[in-house]
Amino acid sequence: MKMPDKDIPAILAALVIAVIPYWVRLPIWITLWCLFFWGYAFQTTCRNRQMPKPWLRQTLIPLGLLGVLFSYDWALAGDTFVGMLAIMVSLKPLEIRTYRDKMITVFLSYAVILTHLLFDNSFFTALHMLVSVCITTAVLIHINHTIAGVSANLKLSARIMIQAFPLTIALFILFPRIQGHFWGVFNPAAERTGFSERLSPGDISSLAQDNAIAFRVDFHGDIPAPDHLYWRGIVFWYFTGQSWERGNRAPTRQAYFPGTETVQYTISLEPHHKRWWFALDLPEFAPRQVRLLDDFTLTSWRRVTVRTVYTLRSHRTYHTGPLRYWEAAALELPPQGNPRARALAQDWRRQNREPEAIVANALSFLKENGFSYTLRPTPLEGDSIDDFLFRTRNGYCEHFASAFAFLMRAAQIPARIVGGYLGGERNPFGNYLIVRQSDAHAWVEVWLPKTGWTRIDPTSVIAPARVQQGSAAALPPAERPIYLSSQYLAALYRYWKPVQFAWDRANIGWNLLVIGYSRSQQRELLTSGDLMGAPIKRILIGLLILSAAIAMGVWVFFRGLRKSGPLQTDRVQRAYEVFCQKLARTIRPRRPAQGPIDYARQVAGQRADLAERVAEITGLYVRLRYGRGGNERDEKRLQTLVKGFKPDKIYRTNHPN
Amino acid sequence: MQAYTIRGKGIRFRPTGYGVLFGVVVAAMTLGSVNYNNNLGLLLAFLLGAMAMASLLYTYKNITGLQILSMAARPVFAGETAVYELQVCAEALPNRSILFSFKQSEETCQDMITRLPRRLSLRIPADQRGWHNPGALRVETRYPFGLFRSIMDISLNIHCLVYPKPISDSFSTAQNYALSGSEGGKELSGMDDFKGLQPYLPGEPVEHIYWKAFSRGQGLQIKQFVEPAGTVIVFDWNSIKSADVEHKLSRLCDAVLKAHRFNLFYGLNLPGKSIPPDVGNTHRRNCLKALALFQTSVSPDIS
C-alpha cells in the first residue's frame, strides 16, 4: 500500500498563498475553478486515491484556456495571461507524481509571485511577496528534506531569506539599470482609466467614480490654495461638432513672459499608459525624455508604463505672448450647427468690444439660467451645444467647458479646452497631495490680449464647491458616494480616512525608496560618496558595499549555525538525545560506537542509584526504536521519564546492592 | 575499521538540473523586470538568487564534520550482494539528507543524520570471487533546496571477501575425492551417530539444533554427533575433472560447505597451497578464503 504523498498539501498551500492577490483581478469562475481542483487534489491525496488519468488533465487545460479567452473577449491582454497561468497552476497538482513534478510546481509558484508584481507595486504587495516566497521556499526545502517538521522548514526558509538579504540589497543597488525596454511591453495594467486623445461626453463622469490614484505631489514649500491646483495634462484644440480633439502639437518655440511667482513640486505619476505628464500652469523646463509642447503641456517619448517620478518648477503668473498664427485653430468652428449658441455669442460680441466683458457675459449667463452640476446629465439630442445651453441645462465639467469654449469661439475669442485634474487631497501624515482619478476635470483657456492664455473654469460658476472640496462635495446629495450621503457611514468614513492616509504614506516611502529607484538615482548614490573625484573611487565604494554585505551574510550564516539546536527529528530520538546529554554532563558521554544497552550498563555500573531509571528509559527507547514500533503511551512515558530524569541528584535506592 | 572525517578540502559543488532551471528562471525574472522597469520584480529575482547562493553555503556546511566509520564487510559468495556497513555520525552539527553511494553502483542510501551515530548498509552485487572493492564512497547532499549538490568522494579502502559460488555437482561419490587416513575409503555415514545434547553455542550449525527441546522450553540445544573417528577427507584440486578453473573452485567450495555442515574433518589441497585437515568455523573460513583468493593477483592489505 502506497503512503499518501505528504508533500502535496504543502505544495497546495504554497500555491494558494501565492495566488491570493490574483483573486481580486480574475473573474470569479477562475477562482472557483482553482479552488475546486486544488480541493480535489487535496482530497485525492488525503484519501490516498489515484490521481486522475492524464487525458482528463489534457482535456481540462484547453477547456480552461478557452474559458479564459472567452471571459476576456478573446483579447490577449495582460489579464488574459494571468488567467491562463492560473488555469495551468490549478491543474498542475493533479499530475504530481515524481520529485520532478514537485520541483516544477514550486518553480511555477515563484513565477506566480513574480507575475503579480507586474500589476501591482504597492508596499502591501511587497509584504505579500516576502511571505509567499518564504512559504514557497519552505515547501522547496520540504521536498528536498522530507523529515523535518513544518515549523522547522519555515524557520530555515526565513533564516536563509534573512541571510540572503544583504546580498539582495547590494545587488539591487548596484545592478546596472537600463532605461528602456528590450522588447515590447504588453501593458499589464492597460485597462486603467485616464484621459484619451478625445474629449466627448461621458469620459470624465466615468472617471469621477474611480477612486484610483492618478498621481501624488510633494510641494517644495507650502501647498497652494485649492483653486490654484489645476493640473494641466492635455489641451483640446479641434471641435468636430460632437467631440473635442487634441490634434498634433509641436514642441514649444514660444516666448513667454514669466512673472516672479514660481512653485516647485515633485510628482510621482502612476502608470496611465499615455504619453502626457501633468503639471501646474506653465512649467519652466521639461524633464529629460519629455517635450514641452507649444500649449505648455508635457509629453514623454514613451508611454508611462511604470510609476514615474519627476520634479518641475512652474510659473504661476505669466503672459504667454502674442497669439501665433497656428493658434488661429482656437477660433475654428464647424461651418454649421448650433445656431442659437452662435447667435447668442454674436449678440454679446456686438454689445462689447472688450473680450473680458464677453467672458464675464458668458459666465453670468451660466450662473443665472438655472444650470446645475450632476454626473447623470439628461442625454443631449441634435445640436449638442444648443440642446445643453437652452434645454437640459445640467451636466458636469465637460459639458460646461465644451459649451463655454464654443461660445467663446463663436464670439471671436480664441478658446481651447484643457483636460487634467483639479485639486487633490492633502495627506496629513506626509504633507503631500493625493490626486485621484475622481479629481479629473476639464476647463477652458481663452486668449486675452492683456494676459495671453487665461484659465476660465465655467464649472466653478455653477458648482463652486467642485473647486474647493472636490467633485463629491459638488454633487447633489442623491449622487454623492454612499459613504458621504449616509450619516452613519460618514462618521465611519472619517475614522477610516486617517488609516487610508497613513497607509498611503507608507506606500510613498516604499515607492521613493524601492520602486522609484532608477538609473539617475543609482548614479547619484554611487557618486555622492565620491570625494576625490576619481571614477575609481566609485567602483571602490561599490565594491566596499558589496563585500560588506557578503561579510555580513557570512557572519549571519555562521552565527545561525552555531545557534541551531537539536534537529527536529522524531520525538523518540529527541527524547533519547536529551537523556544522553544529561548523562554526558554528569556521568560520562556515550562513545560514538556505543549501543544504548551497553551504555546503560556502563552508567549503571557507575551509579547504582540510577540503574533502575536508566534501564527503564533505555528499554523504552530500544523497544520504540528497534522493536516492532511502539505505541503512543510508551512514547509519552519515555518523554516524561526523560524530563524527570536528574542524574545530578542522588536517588535513594530500594535495593541495596 | 577505518574512520574518516570530512573537512572542507575536496568538496566539489555542482548545480543540479533543477539548479540550472532555477538559474534560468531567475535570469528570466531579472530580464523581464529590467524590461518593465519593475524594481519590485528585480528585488524578487535578486532575493531568489541570493537565497540560492546562501543555500550553497548550507550544502557545504551540511557534510563537513561528518565522521564516517567503515566496518568490515562480511564475506559473501559470488553472485550474492556484498553489504558494506558504515557508521556515520556528525561531529557537532546536525547534518541532514545526505546521500551515500559507491561510485560504481547505482545503489544509494539516503539518510538523515542526527548527532547520534547511525549505521547504514550499502549493498553492491559481488559477481567475482576474490577481493571486492566498492571504489570510493560518494557522500552527496542537496540540502536544503535541491539546487546545488556538494559531492565528496572518499576512498575508504574497504573490501569484501567474495568466495566462489558453490556449485553442487555429482561429486558426492567417493571416487571423486582423494581420501586418505588410517581407514581410507570410509563413507560419510558416521555423522548419523547421535551422541547426546549439548547447550547451543553461537556459531554452531543451525541444522543441528534440537528444535523439539526448544519448543518444550528447554532452551537451545544441539544434537552432538559422534565425530566419524579417524575419517579424514582431503579435497584435492586434481581430482576434479574439469578444464574450467572457476568451475573447479566452485565445486570445491560446495564440498567445503557440505563437509563443514556435516561436521567432518576435512582438508584442502590446491596447487601451491594446501590446508591440513581440521574442523570448525575458523578452518572453514581459511579454506574458503584460500579458494576465493586462488590465483588472484590483487591482495589488498587488510588488517
Side-chain angles (χ1 to χ4, degrees), chain B residues 91-256:
Chain B
E91 201 175 45
L93 300 159
N95 300 48
R96 314 147 209 225
S97 270
I98 301 172
L99 210 63
F100 296 89
S101 64
F102 284 116
K103 271 175 86 178
Q104 294 164 357
S105 70
E106 292 294 303
E107 195 72 43
T108 55
C109 180
Q110 181 158 19
D111 216 305
M112 190 190 76
I113 294 169
T114 64
R115 279 173 211 187
L116 287 176
R118 288 287 282 262
R119 189 175 271 215
L120 312 169
S121 317
L122 285 167
R123 310 160 72 85
I124 306 188
D127 296 325
Q128 291 249 306
R129 70 175 174 89
W131 286 112
H132 178 261
N133 184 353
L137 174 73
R138 171 164 280 187
V139 181
E140 188 181 328
T141 180
R142 294 170 184 210
Y143 176 84
F145 288 172
L147 304 179
F148 293 99
R149 49 191 189 135
S150 18
I151 309 159
M152 179 79 188
D153 287 327
I154 304 163
S155 46
L156 282 171
N157 195 20
I158 47 174
H159 302 272
C160 176
L161 188 59
V162 182
Y163 300 144
K165 183 181 183 161
I167 294 177
S168 136
D169 208 346
S170 57
F171 59 88
S172 54
T173 48
Q175 64 263 34
N176 277 352
Y177 298 92
L179 296 171
S180 63
S182 54
E183 291 176 52
K186 195 159 186 198
E187 284 292 324
L188 308 175
S189 58
M191 56 165 288
D192 288 331
D193 299 340
F194 181 67
K195 189 181 163 197
L197 288 173
Q198 286 222 326
Y200 174 77
L201 291 171
E204 282 176 311
V206 183
E207 298 83 40
H208 294 180
I209 290 175
Y210 185 44
W211 294 107
K212 270 185 192 162
F214 180 67
S215 65
R216 275 185 239 118
Q218 293 170 348
L220 278 177
Q221 289 181 318
I222 61 160
K223 292 179 270 187
Q224 193 85 49
F225 295 94
V226 178
E227 203 171 90
T231 308
V232 176
I233 317 167
V234 174
F235 302 118
D236 189 51
W237 172 262
N238 296 318
S239 66
I240 300 173
K241 305 278 181 290
S242 174
D244 186 8
V245 174
E246 295 303 320
H247 186 68
K248 277 172 131 174
L249 287 171
S250 288
R251 286 169 67 176
L252 285 173
C253 177
D254 185 61
V256 167

Side-chain angles (χ1 to χ4, degrees), chain A residues 481-501:
Chain A
I482 181 114
Y483 57 81
L484 283 184
S485 52
S486 147
Q487 191 75 37
Y488 177 67
L489 282 175
L492 206 68
Y493 183 68
R494 268 199 300 281
Y495 286 111
W496 171 240
K497 205 72 190 160
V499 178
Q500 219 179 356
F501 277 133

